[in-house]
Structures are given as structure tokens and as C-alpha cells.
């Protein structure tokens, strides 16, 4: 099982060689991203921890019996864990924003459903009104059908009357021929008997009755024309309403056609503005990434300046003859002088081996720090030559590298001091050993070292780094001002765009409502026309039939008048024949 632990060392009074390393377990991993704190002070002795400094955080893998299986420094892993935690926080924030957007979308959908439900109720009411209108038109059509049936009946009656008149006329012509024959006979001295006279009188009465029945047909025909005229007046009123609705529909359709290009133009302008704001946001993110990289670089330079100042003070102290660098622990020289020569030599040998081990570890860390510095410089060169989108991704990578570099550099600052401390302790032990062996200190034979050029070079580097740090601070301040100004413009423009979007959406909604109203109005116009046109066609056909019947009746009446004159003449002739 993997644990996060802190290295704790218990030191003896004779230096580092007799120290005992322990691990204080701080947290235990329960899942990929799940760590829990270890309760209490759980401390286990671990020999492998001697290569780490006191207080170093390490990751140690322990078996069920608390045996160490693997141990390594936790700096880089902690950086990775913190980065993963930051990314998870960003993902959770994005999810929360997405949930809020869904809530807003659901609220809008609910409002839209309520509005559509109200529209459906209004359309149901209009449909009920149209059904009532259809029923009324159906009643009018039934009435027209009845009138048409009556016209058919009148036409049949007229045809029947005309047939009867034609038959009576044929009989009358026959009688007229016989009368003419009798007249010729009368002129020759013949007379009409009583029986023939009655027969002729019956035929003339029958012919007069047929003419009289045609007058009744004329009255019924006039009544039918009156009914058709009343129905046409009602239909004309409906046709006027239909034309008014058609004109209204055309006017609203023209308004919809006029608004559609305007709204499309507004959307095009809005999308162009959104692209501009998006580009500004991308630039702002690029500036923010650059700022983060600059801030990380500032912290790194600050740590380097502090480390260089500490190193300069140490070298200055050594140059002033204060001997070895002051350590946290002082060596007990009297105890060393009382130890046996062999024991003292063994202790010095152990200190040398421990110093070599720490030196190799620090040297490896120094090489890794150099490689990270080279990676950072390469990334800086790539960022300067990259475009905005690639620069953002590289800036995030740059921030991670700077963070790792800073943590490793801060760790190395303490490790360098520890290395100097151990070197100083070793030199003190060696001095006591050489003194007891009666051998001169090899270092003293080398003479004094002039540290002036080194101090001057360190001071020059410190001043140069201080200037770079001030320049970097100015750049950071300028970036912050640029980001603040850009963010202010973006926020202001975003608010304006949101207002414009709501306004355009409202215009679109109004246009949609107008389209629905126009479509509904055109639907009513078409249905209204579909209902009126068959009624109008039937009524027009009925009028044509009645007019045809009227024409036939006019011709029949003209024939009747001629027949009346003929009958009168025949009656006079017959009266003369009878009296003769």
C-alpha cells in the first residue's frame, strides 16, 4: 500500500554517522485520487531513508507487515497530484456551469410549452368558430339545394304545360282545319251541329286553362328568383369578408417577408461580434498563460536570488577567516579526542561514505535541474514563435515545468546546505584525527585561497538577477494591466452581446408568432374559399337554370298570347257558324 511519509532523523552527538532514520506516515492512498490521513503518530524505522534529508516528504510502498518495498522522493508526485486536483476542480466547475445552462434551458422550454399550450387553446377556439361557420354554410347550401330542386320541379311543370299546350295546339289546328272546311261548307250552305260546337268549345277552354297554368308557374319562378337573390346577397357578404381576410393576410405576409432579411442581418452582425469577443478571450487566455508563466518565472528567479544571496554570505564568511560554515549541530571535539584511533578512523570513513552518497544524490539533482532549465528555455523559444492557440497549450506546459523547477530548486537549496554542513563536520573530524595522528592538515599545506573573485562574480550575478527580476516584475505588472483592460472590454462586450442576443431572439419569437398567425390566417382564407366556392357554383348554376326556365316561360307566354287571339277568332267564327 502506498503512503505519504516524512523523513525524521535522530542524530547522535558525534555527527551524522550515527543517525537513525524513521518515517512518519502522514496519508494513505485508498484509490486513484483518494487519500486519507493516517491517525496518530505512526512512525516506522526505515534504513533506506538515510539517503534523504530530515523533513523530506517521500512516497513509500509498504507491505501488510509494514516492510518497505519501494521508496522515492514525493516532490514530483505531489506536483502531479496537485495538478490533477486542479484539473478536476476545473472539470467540476465546467460541469456546474453546464448544469446551470441545462436548468436555464429547461426553464425556457417550460415557458415555451406553456405559450404553445395557450396558442393551441386559442386555435381550438378558432377551429370551433370555423366549425360553426361551416355548419351555417352547410345549412345555406341545403337551402340552395332545396331551391334547386324546386327549380327542377318548376322546369318539369313548365315542360309539362308546354307539352299540353303543344298537344292542345295540335288539336286546335285540327279543329281549325275542320272549321275552315266547315266554313267552306257553310259558304256552300252547310252549318255546324251542336255536338261539334261543344267539342270545339272544350278544346278552346282546355287551351285557355293551359295558358292560365303558365301564369302560376311564372309566380313560382319569381319566388325562386327571390330566394336565389337572397342567398346571393348572403354569399356576397361572405365574399367581402373573405377578401378582407385575404388583404389582411397579404399585408401581414409582406411584413413578415420584410422582417426576415432584417433579422438575418442582425444575426450576421451578432456572430461577427461574437467572433471578435471570442478572439479577445483567446488573447486574454494567452496573456493569462503568459502572466502565469511570468509569475512562475518570477518566483523561480526570486528563489535563485535568495539562494545566491545565501551562498554569497557563506563564501564571504569563509573569506573573512571564520572557518567552516556554521552548522546546526556542533561537533563534540573532547569526545572525539577521547575515542580510540581506530574508532575515530572508522567514524571518519563512515562520514566520507555518507558525504559521497549525498554528493552523488545532490549532483544528480543538479543535473536534473539543469535539464529542466534547458527544457524551460526551449519552451520559451517555442512560445515566442508559436501562434495564439499553440501558445496557450505551451504556456500551460511551461507553467508545469516552472512549478517543477521551482520545487526542485527549493529542495536543492536545503540539500546544498546539508551537503556543506556534512562537509564541514567531516573536516572537523578529519582535523581531530590528523591532530591525534600527528599529521599536518593537507588543506593547510595548500595555503590560503583568494575568494575575492568568486565573491565579486557572485555579487555581479546577484545584481544581474536582481535587475532581471525587476524587469520581470514590470512585465508582470504590464501584463496584469493589459489583462484587466482586455477582461473589462470582454465583459462589457459580452453583456452587450447577451442583450443583443435576447433582443434578436425576441424579434425571432415575434416573427415566428407572426408567421404562425399569417399561416393560420391563410389557412382560414383557403378553407373559407373552399367552403364558399362550391356554394357559389351551385347558386350560379341554379340561377342559370332559373333564367333558362324564365326564357322558356317567356316564349310560352308569347305563344299563349297568340293562342288567345286565335281562340278569340275561332270563337267568333264558331259563334257565326252556330248562329248561321
Amino acid at each position: 500500500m502506498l503512503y505519504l511519509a516524512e523523513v525524521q532523523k535522530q542524530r547522535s552527538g558525534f555527527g551524522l554517522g550515527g543517525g537513525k532514520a524513521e518515517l512518519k506516515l502522514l496519508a494513505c492512498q485508498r484509490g486513484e485520487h483518494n487519500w486519507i490521513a493516517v491517525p496518530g503518530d505512526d512512525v516506522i524505522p526505515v534504513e533506506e531513508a538515510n539517503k534523504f534529508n530530515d523533513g523530506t516528504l517521500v512516497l513509500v510502498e509498504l507491505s501488510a507487515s509494514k516492510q518497505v518495498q519501494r521508496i522515492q522522493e514525493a516532490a514530483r508526485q505531489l506536483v502531479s497530484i496537485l495538478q490533477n486536483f486542479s484539473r478536476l476542480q476545473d472539470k467540476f466547475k465546467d460541469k456546474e456551469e453546464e448544469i446551470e445552462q441545462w436548468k436555464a434551458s429547461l426553464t425556457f422550454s417550460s415557458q415555451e410549452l406553456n405559450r404553445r399550450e395557450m396558442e393551441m387553446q386559442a386555435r381550438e377556439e378558432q377551429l370551433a368558430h370555423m366549425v360553426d361557420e361551416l355548419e351555417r354554410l352547410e345549412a345555406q347550401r341545403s337551402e340552395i339545394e332545396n331551391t334547386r330542386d324546386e327549380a327542377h320541379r318548376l322546369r318539369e311543370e313548365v315542360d309539362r304545360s308546354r307539352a299540353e299546350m303543344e298537344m292542345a295546339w295540335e288539336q286546335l289546328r285540327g279543329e281549325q282545319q275542320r272549321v275552315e272546311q266547315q266554313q267552306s261548307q257553310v259558304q256552300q250552305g252547310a252549318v255546324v251541329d251542336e255536338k261539334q260546337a261543344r267539342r270545339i268549345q272544350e278544346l278552346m277552354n282546355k287551351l285557355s286553362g293551359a295558358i292560365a297554368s303558365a301564369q302560376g308557374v311564372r309566380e313560382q319562378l319569381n319566388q325562386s328568383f327571390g330566394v336565389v337573390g337572397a342567398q346571393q346577397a348572403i354569399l356576397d357578404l361572405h365574399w367581402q369578408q373573405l377578401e378582407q381576410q385575404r388583404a389582411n393576410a397579404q399585408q401581414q405576409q409582406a411584413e413578415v417577408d420584410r422582417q426576415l432579411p432584417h433579422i438575418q442581418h442582425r444575426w450576421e452582425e451578432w456572430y461577427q461580434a461574437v467572433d471578435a469577443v471570442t478572439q479577445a478571450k483567446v488573447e486574454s487566455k494567452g496573456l493569462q498563460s503568459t502572466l502565469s508563466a511570468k509569475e512562475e518565472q518570477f518566483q523561480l528567479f526570486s528563489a535563485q536570488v535568495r539562494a545566491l544571496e545565501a551562498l554569497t554570505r557563506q563564501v564571504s564568511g569563509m573569506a573573512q577567516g571564520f572557518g567552516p560554515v556554521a552548522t546546526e549541530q556542533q561537533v563534540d571535539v573532547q569526545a572525539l579526542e577521547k575515542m580510540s584511533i581506530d574508532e575515530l578512523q572508522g567514524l571518519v570513513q563512515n562520514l566520507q561514505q555518507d558525504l559521497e552518497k549525498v554528493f552523488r544524490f545532490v549532483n544528480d539533482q543538479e543535473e536534473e535541474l539543469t535539464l529542466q532549465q534547458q527544457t524551460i528555455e526551449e519552451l520559451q523559444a517555442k512560445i515566442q514563435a508559436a501562434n495564439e492557440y499553440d501558445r496557450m497549450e505551451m504556456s500551460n506546459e511551461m507553467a508545469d515545468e516552472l512549478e517543477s523547477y521551482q520545487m526542485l530548486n527549493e529542495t536543492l537549496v536545503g540539500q546544498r546546505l546539508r551537503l556543506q554542513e556534512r562537509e564541514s563536520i567531516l573536516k572537523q573530524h578529519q582535523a581531530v584525527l590528523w591532530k591525534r595522528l600527528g599529521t599536518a592538515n593537507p588543506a593547510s599545506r595548500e595555503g590560503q585561497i583568494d575568494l575575492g573573485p568568486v565573491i565579486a562574480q557572485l555579487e555581479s550575478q546577484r545584481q544581474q538577477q536582481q535587475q532581471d527580476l525587476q524587469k520581470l516584475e514590470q512585465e508582470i505588472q504590464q501584463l496584469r494591466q493589459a489583462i484587466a483592460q482586455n477582461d473589462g472590454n470582454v465583459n462589457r462586450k459580452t453583456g452587450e452581446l447577451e442583450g443583443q442576443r435576447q433582443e434578436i431572439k425576441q424579434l425571432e419569437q415575434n416573427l415566428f408568432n407572426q408567421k404562425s398567425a399569417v399561416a393560420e390566417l391563410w389557412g382560414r382564407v383557403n378553407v373559407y374559399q373552399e367552403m364558399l366556392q362550391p356554394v357559389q357554383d351551385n347558386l350560379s348554376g341554379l340561377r342559370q337554370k332559373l333564367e333558362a326556365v324564365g326564357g322558356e316561360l317567356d316564349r310560352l307566354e308569347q305563344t299563349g298570347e297568340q293562342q288567345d287571339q286565335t281562340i278569340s277568332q275561332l270563337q267568333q267564327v264558331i259563334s257565326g257558324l252556330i248562329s248561321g
Side-chain angles (χ1 to χ4, degrees), residues 487-552:
D487 289 344
N489 294 332
V490 167
N491 293 333
R492 177 180 57 80
K493 199 64 178 178
T494 301
E496 294 177 356
L497 287 176
E498 181 62 24
Q500 293 177 5
R501 188 182 74 86
Q502 294 295 336
E503 181 182 353
I504 298 174
K505 291 291 288 183
Q506 186 62 40
L507 290 176
E508 267 193 342
Q509 186 63 42
N510 294 338
L511 182 62
F512 176 77
N513 295 335
Q514 289 181 4
K515 282 184 177 180
S516 300
V518 169
E520 185 178 350
L521 186 56
W522 276 118
R524 287 202 303 268
V525 168
N526 294 330
V527 171
Y528 205 3
Q529 185 171 0
E530 290 176 358
M531 291 188 300
L532 287 178
Q533 193 62 48
V535 177
Q536 181 65 58
D537 293 341
N538 291 335
L539 192 60
S540 299
L542 179 58
R543 181 183 293 276
Q544 291 176 0
K545 291 179 180 179
L546 289 177
E547 289 176 352
V549 172
E552 292 291 334

Side-chain angles (χ1 to χ4, degrees), residues 19-293:
K20 181 180 179 182
E22 296 178 337
L23 293 180
K24 180 181 180 181
L25 302 182
L26 302 177
C28 177
Q29 186 181 26
R30 296 296 186 185
E32 183 179 0
H33 302 292
N34 186 16
W35 290 78
I36 60 173
V38 175
D41 295 332
D42 194 356
V43 179
I44 58 174
V46 176
E47 176 123 6
E48 292 86 345
N50 283 321
K51 62 181 180 180
F52 298 102
N53 295 326
D54 187 21
T56 303
L57 293 178
V58 296
L59 287 174
V60 56
E61 188 172 349
L62 302 179
S63 64
S65 59
K66 296 295 181 68
Q67 296 296 321
V68 177
Q69 296 178 342
R70 183 170 57 90
I71 184 171
Q72 60 180 355
E73 191 174 359
R76 298 183 66 85
Q77 286 78 4
L78 284 176
V79 171
S80 177
I81 291 172
L82 292 175
Q83 290 174 349
N84 291 333
F85 179 73
S86 177
R87 294 189 184 99
L88 287 175
Q89 279 189 326
D90 294 338
K91 289 182 179 179
F92 289 148
K93 185 176 180 181
D94 294 339
K95 291 294 183 183
E96 289 178 355
E97 293 178 354
E98 186 176 353
I99 290 172
E100 291 297 328
Q101 292 177 357
W102 275 107
K103 288 181 179 179
S105 177
L106 289 175
T107 302
F108 177 76
S109 298
S110 177
Q111 294 175 354
E112 185 69 16
L113 286 176
N114 293 333
R115 186 186 63 79
R116 290 183 179 273
E117 185 177 359
M118 295 177 63
E119 288 182 355
M120 289 296 294
Q121 291 177 357
R123 290 184 179 180
E124 287 178 358
E125 294 176 356
Q126 292 177 355
L127 182 60
H129 176 70
M130 293 177 67
V131 169
D132 294 338
E133 187 71 19
L134 180 60
E135 291 177 353
R136 189 164 61 85
L137 289 174
E138 286 291 337
Q140 291 179 0
R141 187 172 66 178
S142 299
E143 187 176 354
I144 292 173
E145 290 290 337
N146 294 332
T147 306
R148 185 173 60 184
D149 294 340
E150 181 67 20
H152 281 299
R153 189 184 63 80
L154 290 174
R155 185 177 182 85
E156 291 174 356
E157 187 173 350
V158 170
D159 292 338
R160 187 174 59 255
S161 299
R162 184 172 61 183
E164 291 177 356
M165 290 178 66
E166 290 290 339
M167 186 180 298
W169 185 251
E170 291 294 333
Q171 292 178 0
L172 184 59
R173 282 204 208 111
E175 291 298 331
Q176 187 178 6
Q177 290 176 359
R178 286 195 296 272
V179 169
E180 290 176 353
Q181 292 175 1
Q182 289 176 1
Q183 282 180 351
S184 62
Q185 292 174 1
V186 169
Q187 292 175 0
Q188 295 173 3
V191 294
V192 179
D193 58 11
E194 184 177 356
K195 183 179 179 180
Q196 291 176 343
R198 281 199 304 271
R199 176 61 179 165
I200 294 172
Q201 188 66 39
E202 287 175 0
L203 291 173
M204 288 188 296
N205 291 336
K206 186 177 181 180
L207 189 57
S208 299
I211 296 172
S213 63
Q215 296 296 328
V217 173
R218 169 65 69 179
E219 293 178 358
Q220 292 180 358
L221 183 61
N222 292 334
Q223 291 177 0
S224 298
F225 271 117
V227 172
V228 171
Q231 294 295 330
Q232 185 62 53
I234 296 174
L235 280 177
D236 290 340
L237 179 61
H238 285 294
W239 282 115
Q240 291 177 1
Q241 293 177 356
L242 176 63
E243 291 301 324
Q244 290 177 357
Q245 291 182 1
R246 180 180 284 112
N248 189 15
Q250 291 174 349
Q251 182 178 1
Q252 293 186 17
Q253 184 68 49
E255 180 65 20
V256 168
D257 295 339
R258 185 188 64 82
Q259 290 183 9
L260 184 60
H262 173 67
I263 293 178
Q264 291 176 347
H265 181 66
R266 289 287 301 275
W267 274 122
E268 290 175 359
E269 292 180 345
W270 187 82
Y271 281 120
Q272 291 176 359
V274 168
D275 291 339
V277 171
T278 303
Q279 183 64 30
K281 287 182 179 179
V282 171
E283 293 177 359
S284 181
K285 288 183 179 180
L287 292 175
Q288 188 65 45
S289 300
T290 305
L291 176 62
S292 299

